Amino acid sequence: MFVFSLHKLINIIAIAGGISVCALCLMQITATTQLTKKVRNYFHVFFVSIILYISTHLAREILEGIPGSAVRKVLYSVTFIELIFAAMMALTISALLLFVSKIERSKTVRLLFFLNIVFLCHLLVLSVCQIFGVIYFFDDKNIYHRGQLYLLSNLCPLIMIIFDIVILGLKQKNLKKKVKTAFWVYLLAPAAALFVQSFSKDIQYIIFATIVASVYMFSVIVSNENEEFQKQKIASSRIDAELSMASSIQSDMLPSIFPAFPERKEFEIYASMTPAKEVGGDFYDFFLVDDDHLCMIMADVSGKGVPAALFMMASKIILANNAMMGKSPAKILEDTNKSVCSNNREKMFVTVWIGILEISTGKLTASNAGHLYPAIKDTDFGFDLFRDKHGLVIGGFAGAKYSEYELTLKPGDSIFVYTDGITEATNSNNQLFKTDRMIKALNQQPNAAPETTIKDVRSAVDLFVAGAEQFDDITMLCMKYKGKGQ
Amino acid sequence: MTINKNLNGSELTLGLEGRLDTTTAPELETVIQNELSDVKELVFDFKNLEYISSAGLRVLLSAQKIMNKNGNMKIINVNDMITEIFEVTGFIDILTVE
């Protein structure tokens, strides 16, 4: 027969309520996506531990005082489990505190190791004492009594509470005020309850206090994590917006309206750039220096992303300014190199191929600062690599000298320049596209208009990489010389 | 990429393995910026280096500039593909490749 007194009833109702509250918290952990993985895991373990702790306590409340050897066995088991999970709760809270107080990784690992050792010792002590009944025991009427070594069962939670207090004291600066308060409430609430309980022994104030303080701490940490998440979201969306603006500023810097010179019948030009990230370090440029001279530039800045894009903008402007003064290609590179080297602490560099076409004669004067070989189409033989003489990249050494070369384009000849985004496009087997495949793609329709040529190469690259991620900017420029009267 | 460091008196040999590109170049850059103060001879061993990108070339350029002041730098065991990259970029003229 169960005999319920009023205080037992209050305890049972409160514990049952506590179990449901903890279950609700568990559901909320699962539903809240903004939680850091670690915080989520710690709270999972923590609330499961509380549920086990208070339900074993509830079982003890109900069964205590009912005679019988079977009941006695159950009583011993549930009390054992209760003591284990009380320590488990303390362990997860200490681990959580280590995480939220942002202690360096290596220290955290060492401190966690210490906490786990304390917990293991606790398990060992409990198991040994369980056999001898020195921590607690049940008398003939199955009434609970503390044993001589009762304090041993509290040793592990006590060490962990002292640990928490030390961490809270030392790492104050790393914790927000409300998070700090929540931990203090959690640590002090049971002590306050213990004080109240000493006046009215029958009601389990400690358990109430623990549940209320846990839920409070949980809600504070969750709202704190939410805030951080929102802040990060705002920061990253600001960066996204800036990057997308930077990206359009950059692409607007490149001539991209085609046909570019509809009134010029002597040549046709087309170019494209696809950055691997929002902004890139590749660029092309073309413009008329005067009525009879077309300047073409293909360049690739070292590295990727924002640093490369900034350096690209500067190099593009310096190159164009030098070219517009009517200098020869080698002189343009030399002067650009001087300007770039004068303020280049980051040791950035850019490879440049520059060519100036004399439109009336087809004479092309070009110079190469560490850029890939151009591909030139001779009307009779199709496209082939033109192994021109190479100078050092722009930005390497202040005194670098560049040489230039001349060749004459016949009507129908083309020139194709590109960056390593083409030749080093990589498929899922880690194979590179390489120049051979590029030349083959160029020669699919050697007499096509520049736009078709560039699209042919692009689709050959796309077919080759077959969906593998684009690692580098892909940039191409193609100019077909038609000569006079074409 | 792995960097095998071997300091012998004032001669430092850096054996590079794998790919020297945008993601791995900062690692080498840290070594170059922090560990060259007492080095008179810097040797890069490229025997197991598969690939070098422009970001990697940038670090070599930094190293060459530091060693121009402090002593000598050379690169050994360079494979054909990397030699071609050095040729195309003009680096062959400023680096000592053996």
mmCIF file of all heavy atoms in Angstrom, chain A residues 301-304 346-349 351 368 370-373 387 390-393 395-397 424 432, chain B residues 19 22 29 51-55 57-58 61-62 64-65 68 81 84-85 87-91 93-94:
data_model
loop_
_atom_site.group_PDB
_atom_site.id
_atom_site.type_symbol
_atom_site.label_atom_id
_atom_site.label_comp_id
_atom_site.label_asym_id
_atom_site.label_seq_id
_atom_site.Cartn_x
_atom_site.Cartn_y
_atom_site.Cartn_z
ATOM 1 N N VAL A 301 46.784 38.664 -62.008
ATOM 2 C CA VAL A 301 47.433 39.060 -60.751
ATOM 3 C C VAL A 301 47.631 37.817 -59.886
ATOM 4 O O VAL A 301 46.788 36.919 -59.875
ATOM 5 C CB VAL A 301 46.547 40.080 -59.994
ATOM 6 C CG1 VAL A 301 47.091 40.374 -58.611
ATOM 7 C CG2 VAL A 301 46.422 41.365 -60.800
ATOM 8 N N SER A 302 48.750 37.773 -59.137
ATOM 9 C CA SER A 302 49.002 36.644 -58.234
ATOM 10 C C SER A 302 47.919 36.584 -57.176
ATOM 11 O O SER A 302 47.465 37.601 -56.674
ATOM 12 C CB SER A 302 50.367 36.802 -57.569
ATOM 13 O OG SER A 302 50.444 38.051 -56.915
ATOM 14 N N GLY A 303 47.494 35.376 -56.824
ATOM 15 C CA GLY A 303 46.489 35.209 -55.780
ATOM 16 C C GLY A 303 45.082 35.431 -56.309
ATOM 17 O O GLY A 303 44.863 35.550 -57.507
ATOM 18 N N LYS A 304 44.142 35.446 -55.386
ATOM 19 C CA LYS A 304 42.726 35.527 -55.766
ATOM 20 C C LYS A 304 41.973 36.459 -54.826
ATOM 21 O O LYS A 304 42.511 36.942 -53.850
ATOM 22 C CB LYS A 304 42.083 34.144 -55.640
ATOM 23 C CG LYS A 304 42.570 33.116 -56.610
ATOM 24 C CD LYS A 304 41.665 31.893 -56.525
ATOM 25 C CE LYS A 304 42.206 30.745 -57.334
ATOM 26 N NZ LYS A 304 43.267 30.022 -56.658
ATOM 27 N N GLU A 346 53.466 44.156 -50.162
ATOM 28 C CA GLU A 346 52.877 42.813 -50.131
ATOM 29 C C GLU A 346 53.473 41.885 -51.188
ATOM 30 O O GLU A 346 53.064 40.738 -51.316
ATOM 31 C CB GLU A 346 51.363 42.895 -50.305
ATOM 32 C CG GLU A 346 50.625 43.336 -49.051
ATOM 33 C CD GLU A 346 50.881 42.420 -47.869
ATOM 34 O OE1 GLU A 346 50.817 41.193 -48.032
ATOM 35 O OE2 GLU A 346 51.174 42.946 -46.783
ATOM 36 N N LYS A 347 54.421 42.407 -51.986
ATOM 37 C CA LYS A 347 55.083 41.600 -53.036
ATOM 38 C C LYS A 347 54.075 40.952 -53.979
ATOM 39 O O LYS A 347 54.207 39.801 -54.364
ATOM 40 C CB LYS A 347 55.953 40.481 -52.429
ATOM 41 C CG LYS A 347 56.903 40.930 -51.330
ATOM 42 C CD LYS A 347 58.186 41.455 -51.884
ATOM 43 C CE LYS A 347 59.209 41.761 -50.805
ATOM 44 N NZ LYS A 347 58.715 42.390 -49.594
ATOM 45 N N MET A 348 53.034 41.709 -54.333
ATOM 46 C CA MET A 348 52.082 41.201 -55.316
ATOM 47 C C MET A 348 52.712 41.385 -56.688
ATOM 48 O O MET A 348 53.577 42.244 -56.873
ATOM 49 C CB MET A 348 50.781 42.004 -55.266
ATOM 50 C CG MET A 348 50.037 41.919 -53.965
ATOM 51 S SD MET A 348 49.213 40.350 -53.744
ATOM 52 C CE MET A 348 47.754 40.599 -54.743
ATOM 53 N N PHE A 349 52.303 40.572 -57.635
ATOM 54 C CA PHE A 349 52.775 40.811 -58.990
ATOM 55 C C PHE A 349 51.687 40.482 -59.994
ATOM 56 O O PHE A 349 50.662 39.883 -59.646
ATOM 57 C CB PHE A 349 54.058 40.050 -59.295
ATOM 58 C CG PHE A 349 53.935 38.569 -59.245
ATOM 59 C CD1 PHE A 349 53.376 37.859 -60.294
ATOM 60 C CD2 PHE A 349 54.406 37.857 -58.139
ATOM 61 C CE1 PHE A 349 53.266 36.490 -60.250
ATOM 62 C CE2 PHE A 349 54.297 36.483 -58.090
ATOM 63 C CZ PHE A 349 53.728 35.798 -59.146
ATOM 64 N N THR A 351 51.126 39.237 -64.191
ATOM 65 C CA THR A 351 51.709 38.870 -65.489
ATOM 66 C C THR A 351 50.905 39.605 -66.550
ATOM 67 O O THR A 351 49.679 39.707 -66.442
ATOM 68 C CB THR A 351 51.619 37.355 -65.736
ATOM 69 O OG1 THR A 351 50.247 36.998 -65.931
ATOM 70 C CG2 THR A 351 52.178 36.559 -64.570
ATOM 71 N N ASN A 368 55.888 40.726 -73.440
ATOM 72 C CA ASN A 368 55.300 39.772 -72.501
ATOM 73 C C ASN A 368 56.027 39.806 -71.164
ATOM 74 O O ASN A 368 57.213 39.523 -71.072
ATOM 75 C CB ASN A 368 55.385 38.365 -73.119
ATOM 76 C CG ASN A 368 54.533 37.369 -72.372
ATOM 77 O OD1 ASN A 368 54.279 37.535 -71.177
ATOM 78 N ND2 ASN A 368 54.100 36.337 -73.057
ATOM 79 N N GLY A 370 56.010 37.837 -68.254
ATOM 80 C CA GLY A 370 55.692 36.623 -67.503
ATOM 81 C C GLY A 370 54.326 36.029 -67.763
ATOM 82 O O GLY A 370 53.834 35.228 -66.968
ATOM 83 N N HIS A 371 53.680 36.422 -68.841
ATOM 84 C CA HIS A 371 52.353 35.877 -69.128
ATOM 85 C C HIS A 371 52.457 34.679 -70.073
ATOM 86 O O HIS A 371 53.490 34.438 -70.680
ATOM 87 C CB HIS A 371 51.469 36.973 -69.735
ATOM 88 C CG HIS A 371 50.015 36.634 -69.642
ATOM 89 N ND1 HIS A 371 49.294 36.772 -68.490
ATOM 90 C CD2 HIS A 371 49.147 36.135 -70.565
ATOM 91 C CE1 HIS A 371 48.055 36.381 -68.700
ATOM 92 N NE2 HIS A 371 47.941 35.983 -69.944
ATOM 93 N N LEU A 372 51.359 33.904 -70.149
ATOM 94 C CA LEU A 372 51.356 32.708 -70.993
ATOM 95 C C LEU A 372 51.529 33.066 -72.477
ATOM 96 O O LEU A 372 51.220 34.171 -72.893
ATOM 97 C CB LEU A 372 50.030 31.964 -70.797
ATOM 98 C CG LEU A 372 49.807 31.450 -69.377
ATOM 99 C CD1 LEU A 372 48.363 31.084 -69.157
ATOM 100 C CD2 LEU A 372 50.700 30.244 -69.119
ATOM 101 N N TYR A 373 52.002 32.085 -73.248
ATOM 102 C CA TYR A 373 52.218 32.308 -74.679
ATOM 103 C C TYR A 373 50.899 32.602 -75.384
ATOM 104 O O TYR A 373 49.916 31.903 -75.163
ATOM 105 C CB TYR A 373 52.830 31.061 -75.324
ATOM 106 C CG TYR A 373 54.150 30.654 -74.752
ATOM 107 C CD1 TYR A 373 54.289 29.475 -74.046
ATOM 108 C CD2 TYR A 373 55.279 31.473 -74.922
ATOM 109 C CE1 TYR A 373 55.518 29.094 -73.509
ATOM 110 C CE2 TYR A 373 56.501 31.098 -74.396
ATOM 111 C CZ TYR A 373 56.618 29.914 -73.681
ATOM 112 O OH TYR A 373 57.823 29.546 -73.155
ATOM 113 N N ARG A 387 55.628 31.026 -79.267
ATOM 114 C CA ARG A 387 56.528 31.058 -78.111
ATOM 115 C C ARG A 387 57.345 32.341 -78.131
ATOM 116 O O ARG A 387 58.460 32.378 -78.635
ATOM 117 C CB ARG A 387 57.417 29.819 -78.086
ATOM 118 C CG ARG A 387 56.578 28.574 -77.919
ATOM 119 C CD ARG A 387 57.371 27.329 -77.641
ATOM 120 N NE ARG A 387 56.436 26.222 -77.464
ATOM 121 C CZ ARG A 387 55.992 25.805 -76.280
ATOM 122 N NH1 ARG A 387 56.397 26.394 -75.174
ATOM 123 N NH2 ARG A 387 55.135 24.811 -76.206
ATOM 124 N N HIS A 390 60.052 36.014 -73.038
ATOM 125 C CA HIS A 390 59.414 36.403 -71.791
ATOM 126 C C HIS A 390 60.273 37.289 -70.916
ATOM 127 O O HIS A 390 61.452 37.014 -70.737
ATOM 128 C CB HIS A 390 59.059 35.165 -70.976
ATOM 129 C CG HIS A 390 57.754 34.596 -71.369
ATOM 130 N ND1 HIS A 390 57.558 34.025 -72.586
ATOM 131 C CD2 HIS A 390 56.567 34.557 -70.729
ATOM 132 C CE1 HIS A 390 56.300 33.623 -72.665
ATOM 133 N NE2 HIS A 390 55.686 33.944 -71.565
ATOM 134 N N GLY A 391 59.685 38.330 -70.378
ATOM 135 C CA GLY A 391 60.339 39.103 -69.336
ATOM 136 C C GLY A 391 59.754 38.697 -68.003
ATOM 137 O O GLY A 391 58.849 37.866 -67.933
ATOM 138 N N LEU A 392 60.254 39.306 -66.931
ATOM 139 C CA LEU A 392 59.781 38.986 -65.583
ATOM 140 C C LEU A 392 58.413 39.621 -65.363
ATOM 141 O O LEU A 392 58.079 40.641 -65.957
ATOM 142 C CB LEU A 392 60.791 39.525 -64.556
ATOM 143 C CG LEU A 392 60.491 39.226 -63.088
ATOM 144 C CD1 LEU A 392 60.547 37.727 -62.820
ATOM 145 C CD2 LEU A 392 61.462 39.955 -62.172
ATOM 146 N N VAL A 393 57.634 39.002 -64.471
ATOM 147 C CA VAL A 393 56.325 39.541 -64.096
ATOM 148 C C VAL A 393 56.452 40.998 -63.629
ATOM 149 O O VAL A 393 57.500 41.403 -63.128
ATOM 150 C CB VAL A 393 55.710 38.697 -62.961
ATOM 151 C CG1 VAL A 393 55.425 37.293 -63.429
ATOM 152 C CG2 VAL A 393 56.610 38.687 -61.731
ATOM 153 N N GLY A 395 56.096 43.878 -61.100
ATOM 154 C CA GLY A 395 56.049 43.913 -59.636
ATOM 155 C C GLY A 395 57.146 43.065 -59.023
ATOM 156 O O GLY A 395 57.268 42.991 -57.805
ATOM 157 N N GLY A 396 57.931 42.375 -59.847
ATOM 158 C CA GLY A 396 59.001 41.510 -59.351
ATOM 159 C C GLY A 396 60.202 42.311 -58.878
ATOM 160 O O GLY A 396 60.495 42.361 -57.685
ATOM 161 N N PHE A 397 60.896 42.963 -59.822
ATOM 162 C CA PHE A 397 62.060 43.779 -59.471
ATOM 163 C C PHE A 397 61.984 45.124 -60.186
ATOM 164 O O PHE A 397 61.630 45.180 -61.365
ATOM 165 C CB PHE A 397 63.352 43.066 -59.868
ATOM 166 C CG PHE A 397 63.804 42.109 -58.826
ATOM 167 C CD1 PHE A 397 63.543 40.743 -58.956
ATOM 168 C CD2 PHE A 397 64.479 42.561 -57.694
ATOM 169 C CE1 PHE A 397 63.942 39.860 -57.970
ATOM 170 C CE2 PHE A 397 64.875 41.677 -56.717
ATOM 171 C CZ PHE A 397 64.603 40.322 -56.846
ATOM 172 N N GLU A 424 44.858 25.625 -66.736
ATOM 173 C CA GLU A 424 44.907 24.863 -65.494
ATOM 174 C C GLU A 424 43.530 24.507 -64.963
ATOM 175 O O GLU A 424 43.380 24.132 -63.799
ATOM 176 C CB GLU A 424 45.729 25.626 -64.454
ATOM 177 C CG GLU A 424 47.207 25.609 -64.830
ATOM 178 C CD GLU A 424 48.077 26.448 -63.922
ATOM 179 O OE1 GLU A 424 47.621 26.814 -62.841
ATOM 180 O OE2 GLU A 424 49.219 26.726 -64.317
ATOM 181 N N LEU A 432 44.780 18.424 -65.861
ATOM 182 C CA LEU A 432 44.709 19.816 -66.299
ATOM 183 C C LEU A 432 44.261 19.883 -67.761
ATOM 184 O O LEU A 432 44.530 18.985 -68.549
ATOM 185 C CB LEU A 432 46.073 20.491 -66.150
ATOM 186 C CG LEU A 432 46.669 20.529 -64.743
ATOM 187 C CD1 LEU A 432 47.985 21.279 -64.746
ATOM 188 C CD2 LEU A 432 45.716 21.169 -63.769
ATOM 189 N N ARG B 19 51.295 20.572 -53.193
ATOM 190 C CA ARG B 19 50.961 21.713 -54.036
ATOM 191 C C ARG B 19 51.204 23.018 -53.303
ATOM 192 O O ARG B 19 50.792 23.179 -52.166
ATOM 193 C CB ARG B 19 49.481 21.662 -54.432
ATOM 194 C CG ARG B 19 49.114 20.484 -55.327
ATOM 195 C CD ARG B 19 47.610 20.339 -55.401
ATOM 196 N NE ARG B 19 46.975 21.516 -55.995
ATOM 197 C CZ ARG B 19 46.811 21.696 -57.299
ATOM 198 N NH1 ARG B 19 47.241 20.782 -58.146
ATOM 199 N NH2 ARG B 19 46.235 22.774 -57.769
ATOM 200 N N THR B 22 47.276 28.948 -53.527
ATOM 201 C CA THR B 22 46.684 29.983 -52.668
ATOM 202 C C THR B 22 46.464 29.500 -51.238
ATOM 203 O O THR B 22 46.684 30.240 -50.295
ATOM 204 C CB THR B 22 45.315 30.430 -53.226
ATOM 205 O OG1 THR B 22 45.412 30.428 -54.632
ATOM 206 C CG2 THR B 22 44.958 31.797 -52.727
ATOM 207 N N GLU B 29 54.973 31.199 -46.345
ATOM 208 C CA GLU B 29 55.277 32.597 -46.117
ATOM 209 C C GLU B 29 55.637 32.847 -44.641
ATOM 210 O O GLU B 29 56.556 33.604 -44.327
ATOM 211 C CB GLU B 29 54.080 33.459 -46.516
ATOM 212 C CG GLU B 29 54.436 34.927 -46.562
ATOM 213 C CD GLU B 29 53.423 35.752 -47.334
ATOM 214 O OE1 GLU B 29 52.326 35.240 -47.617
ATOM 215 O OE2 GLU B 29 53.744 36.904 -47.637
ATOM 216 N N TYR B 51 53.059 21.120 -57.915
ATOM 217 C CA TYR B 51 52.439 22.243 -58.599
ATOM 218 C C TYR B 51 52.771 23.534 -57.868
ATOM 219 O O TYR B 51 52.895 23.551 -56.645
ATOM 220 C CB TYR B 51 50.917 22.027 -58.614
ATOM 221 C CG TYR B 51 50.126 23.180 -59.165
ATOM 222 C CD1 TYR B 51 50.037 23.404 -60.536
ATOM 223 C CD2 TYR B 51 49.459 24.056 -58.302
ATOM 224 C CE1 TYR B 51 49.307 24.466 -61.034
ATOM 225 C CE2 TYR B 51 48.725 25.122 -58.803
ATOM 226 C CZ TYR B 51 48.652 25.327 -60.162
ATOM 227 O OH TYR B 51 47.941 26.375 -60.648
ATOM 228 N N ILE B 52 52.926 24.599 -58.622
ATOM 229 C CA ILE B 52 53.121 25.898 -57.983
ATOM 230 C C ILE B 52 52.225 26.914 -58.697
ATOM 231 O O ILE B 52 52.169 26.954 -59.920
ATOM 232 C CB ILE B 52 54.614 26.311 -58.004
ATOM 233 C CG1 ILE B 52 54.828 27.602 -57.213
ATOM 234 C CG2 ILE B 52 55.161 26.478 -59.419
ATOM 235 C CD1 ILE B 52 56.284 27.868 -56.882
ATOM 236 N N SER B 53 51.475 27.681 -57.929
ATOM 237 C CA SER B 53 50.602 28.690 -58.537
ATOM 238 C C SER B 53 51.229 30.058 -58.331
ATOM 239 O O SER B 53 52.263 30.196 -57.699
ATOM 240 C CB SER B 53 49.219 28.660 -57.892
ATOM 241 O OG SER B 53 49.242 29.392 -56.692
ATOM 242 N N SER B 54 50.549 31.094 -58.842
ATOM 243 C CA SER B 54 51.112 32.437 -58.734
ATOM 244 C C SER B 54 51.284 32.848 -57.274
ATOM 245 O O SER B 54 52.212 33.562 -56.928
ATOM 246 C CB SER B 54 50.234 33.429 -59.481
ATOM 247 O OG SER B 54 48.934 33.428 -58.938
ATOM 248 N N ALA B 55 50.385 32.366 -56.404
ATOM 249 C CA ALA B 55 50.524 32.690 -54.983
ATOM 250 C C ALA B 55 51.829 32.109 -54.438
ATOM 251 O O ALA B 55 52.501 32.713 -53.605
ATOM 252 C CB ALA B 55 49.333 32.156 -54.201
ATOM 253 N N LEU B 57 54.548 31.517 -56.321
ATOM 254 C CA LEU B 57 55.642 32.293 -56.927
ATOM 255 C C LEU B 57 55.891 33.568 -56.120
ATOM 256 O O LEU B 57 57.019 33.999 -55.931
ATOM 257 C CB LEU B 57 55.287 32.669 -58.368
ATOM 258 C CG LEU B 57 55.236 31.514 -59.369
ATOM 259 C CD1 LEU B 57 54.748 32.017 -60.719
ATOM 260 C CD2 LEU B 57 56.618 30.876 -59.524
ATOM 261 N N ARG B 58 54.797 34.146 -55.621
ATOM 262 C CA ARG B 58 54.900 35.375 -54.845
ATOM 263 C C ARG B 58 55.772 35.148 -53.592
ATOM 264 O O ARG B 58 56.612 35.973 -53.245
ATOM 265 C CB ARG B 58 53.492 35.808 -54.424
ATOM 266 C CG ARG B 58 53.433 37.200 -53.922
ATOM 267 C CD ARG B 58 52.024 37.559 -53.483
ATOM 268 N NE ARG B 58 52.103 38.226 -52.210
ATOM 269 C CZ ARG B 58 51.654 37.744 -51.073
ATOM 270 N NH1 ARG B 58 51.033 36.605 -51.042
ATOM 271 N NH2 ARG B 58 51.807 38.422 -49.965
ATOM 272 N N LEU B 61 59.346 34.909 -54.540
ATOM 273 C CA LEU B 61 59.862 36.245 -54.816
ATOM 274 C C LEU B 61 60.243 36.942 -53.502
ATOM 275 O O LEU B 61 61.321 37.540 -53.399
ATOM 276 C CB LEU B 61 58.792 37.049 -55.565
ATOM 277 C CG LEU B 61 59.173 38.419 -56.066
ATOM 278 C CD1 LEU B 61 60.251 38.320 -57.136
ATOM 279 C CD2 LEU B 61 57.942 39.138 -56.659
ATOM 280 N N SER B 62 59.369 36.828 -52.487
ATOM 281 C CA SER B 62 59.678 37.412 -51.175
ATOM 282 C C SER B 62 60.971 36.836 -50.631
ATOM 283 O O SER B 62 61.843 37.559 -50.144
ATOM 284 C CB SER B 62 58.582 37.099 -50.160
ATOM 285 O OG SER B 62 57.366 37.615 -50.580
ATOM 286 N N GLN B 64 63.409 35.400 -52.259
ATOM 287 C CA GLN B 64 64.560 35.825 -53.050
ATOM 288 C C GLN B 64 64.994 37.235 -52.634
ATOM 289 O O GLN B 64 66.175 37.528 -52.508
ATOM 290 C CB GLN B 64 64.197 35.783 -54.538
ATOM 291 C CG GLN B 64 65.339 36.146 -55.467
ATOM 292 C CD GLN B 64 66.457 35.092 -55.449
ATOM 293 O OE1 GLN B 64 66.222 33.927 -55.736
ATOM 294 N NE2 GLN B 64 67.662 35.509 -55.082
ATOM 295 N N LYS B 65 64.009 38.099 -52.377
ATOM 296 C CA LYS B 65 64.347 39.469 -51.983
ATOM 297 C C LYS B 65 65.047 39.509 -50.633
ATOM 298 O O LYS B 65 65.992 40.265 -50.435
ATOM 299 C CB LYS B 65 63.089 40.334 -51.961
ATOM 300 C CG LYS B 65 62.642 40.667 -53.370
ATOM 301 C CD LYS B 65 61.565 41.727 -53.418
ATOM 302 C CE LYS B 65 61.288 42.074 -54.874
ATOM 303 N NZ LYS B 65 60.176 43.008 -55.020
ATOM 304 N N ASN B 68 68.572 38.109 -51.134
ATOM 305 C CA ASN B 68 69.470 39.024 -51.847
ATOM 306 C C ASN B 68 70.251 39.872 -50.853
ATOM 307 O O ASN B 68 71.396 40.239 -51.102
ATOM 308 C CB ASN B 68 68.675 39.949 -52.768
ATOM 309 C CG ASN B 68 68.295 39.245 -54.070
ATOM 310 O OD1 ASN B 68 68.758 38.132 -54.324
ATOM 311 N ND2 ASN B 68 67.468 39.879 -54.859
ATOM 312 N N MET B 81 57.476 20.599 -65.377
ATOM 313 C CA MET B 81 56.309 21.464 -65.387
ATOM 314 C C MET B 81 56.609 22.771 -64.657
ATOM 315 O O MET B 81 56.247 23.855 -65.121
ATOM 316 C CB MET B 81 55.142 20.735 -64.721
ATOM 317 C CG MET B 81 53.869 21.520 -64.820
ATOM 318 S SD MET B 81 52.563 20.634 -63.952
ATOM 319 C CE MET B 81 51.444 21.994 -63.696
ATOM 320 N N GLU B 84 58.873 25.002 -66.584
ATOM 321 C CA GLU B 84 58.156 25.741 -67.616
ATOM 322 C C GLU B 84 57.460 26.965 -67.013
ATOM 323 O O GLU B 84 57.468 28.048 -67.596
ATOM 324 C CB GLU B 84 57.140 24.826 -68.297
ATOM 325 C CG GLU B 84 56.711 25.392 -69.642
ATOM 326 C CD GLU B 84 55.558 24.606 -70.258
ATOM 327 O OE1 GLU B 84 55.548 23.373 -70.122
ATOM 328 O OE2 GLU B 84 54.680 25.241 -70.861
ATOM 329 N N ILE B 85 56.882 26.781 -65.821
ATOM 330 C CA ILE B 85 56.224 27.920 -65.157
ATOM 331 C C ILE B 85 57.255 29.019 -64.882
ATOM 332 O O ILE B 85 56.996 30.199 -65.107
ATOM 333 C CB ILE B 85 55.524 27.463 -63.859
ATOM 334 C CG1 ILE B 85 54.345 26.548 -64.203
ATOM 335 C CG2 ILE B 85 55.043 28.659 -63.041
ATOM 336 C CD1 ILE B 85 53.666 25.908 -63.018
ATOM 337 N N GLU B 87 59.939 29.573 -66.562
ATOM 338 C CA GLU B 87 60.318 30.187 -67.837
ATOM 339 C C GLU B 87 59.273 31.180 -68.305
ATOM 340 O O GLU B 87 59.563 32.318 -68.658
ATOM 341 C CB GLU B 87 60.519 29.103 -68.904
ATOM 342 C CG GLU B 87 61.908 28.501 -68.848
ATOM 343 C CD GLU B 87 62.016 27.215 -69.659
ATOM 344 O OE1 GLU B 87 61.062 26.897 -70.412
ATOM 345 O OE2 GLU B 87 63.041 26.535 -69.522
ATOM 346 N N VAL B 88 58.003 30.726 -68.273
ATOM 347 C CA VAL B 88 56.919 31.572 -68.763
ATOM 348 C C VAL B 88 56.819 32.870 -67.967
ATOM 349 O O VAL B 88 56.597 33.939 -68.522
ATOM 350 C CB VAL B 88 55.585 30.790 -68.716
ATOM 351 C CG1 VAL B 88 54.410 31.721 -68.906
ATOM 352 C CG2 VAL B 88 55.572 29.721 -69.787
ATOM 353 N N THR B 89 56.975 32.767 -66.653
ATOM 354 C CA THR B 89 56.790 33.950 -65.807
ATOM 355 C C THR B 89 58.046 34.811 -65.724
ATOM 356 O O THR B 89 58.031 35.850 -65.074
ATOM 357 C CB THR B 89 56.421 33.528 -64.378
ATOM 358 O OG1 THR B 89 57.387 32.575 -63.948
ATOM 359 C CG2 THR B 89 55.046 32.915 -64.328
ATOM 360 N N GLY B 90 59.143 34.353 -66.364
ATOM 361 C CA GLY B 90 60.383 35.124 -66.296
ATOM 362 C C GLY B 90 61.122 34.935 -64.987
ATOM 363 O O GLY B 90 62.182 35.533 -64.771
ATOM 364 N N PHE B 91 60.604 34.091 -64.105
ATOM 365 C CA PHE B 91 61.266 33.876 -62.815
ATOM 366 C C PHE B 91 62.614 33.193 -62.999
ATOM 367 O O PHE B 91 63.490 33.305 -62.153
ATOM 368 C CB PHE B 91 60.376 33.028 -61.892
ATOM 369 C CG PHE B 91 59.463 33.847 -61.044
ATOM 370 C CD1 PHE B 91 58.402 34.529 -61.608
ATOM 371 C CD2 PHE B 91 59.663 33.963 -59.673
ATOM 372 C CE1 PHE B 91 57.557 35.302 -60.831
ATOM 373 C CE2 PHE B 91 58.832 34.737 -58.896
ATOM 374 C CZ PHE B 91 57.773 35.412 -59.466
ATOM 375 N N ASP B 93 64.940 33.971 -64.729
ATOM 376 C CA ASP B 93 66.034 34.943 -64.781
ATOM 377 C C ASP B 93 66.451 35.463 -63.413
ATOM 378 O O ASP B 93 67.558 35.959 -63.249
ATOM 379 C CB ASP B 93 65.629 36.150 -65.651
ATOM 380 C CG ASP B 93 65.330 35.715 -67.079
ATOM 381 O OD1 ASP B 93 65.906 34.706 -67.511
ATOM 382 O OD2 ASP B 93 64.513 36.392 -67.724
ATOM 383 N N ILE B 94 65.539 35.409 -62.448
ATOM 384 C CA ILE B 94 65.907 35.975 -61.141
ATOM 385 C C ILE B 94 66.169 34.904 -60.091
ATOM 386 O O ILE B 94 66.732 35.173 -59.045
ATOM 387 C CB ILE B 94 64.817 36.941 -60.616
ATOM 388 C CG1 ILE B 94 63.461 36.225 -60.526
ATOM 389 C CG2 ILE B 94 64.714 38.172 -61.482
ATOM 390 C CD1 ILE B 94 62.511 36.912 -59.585
#
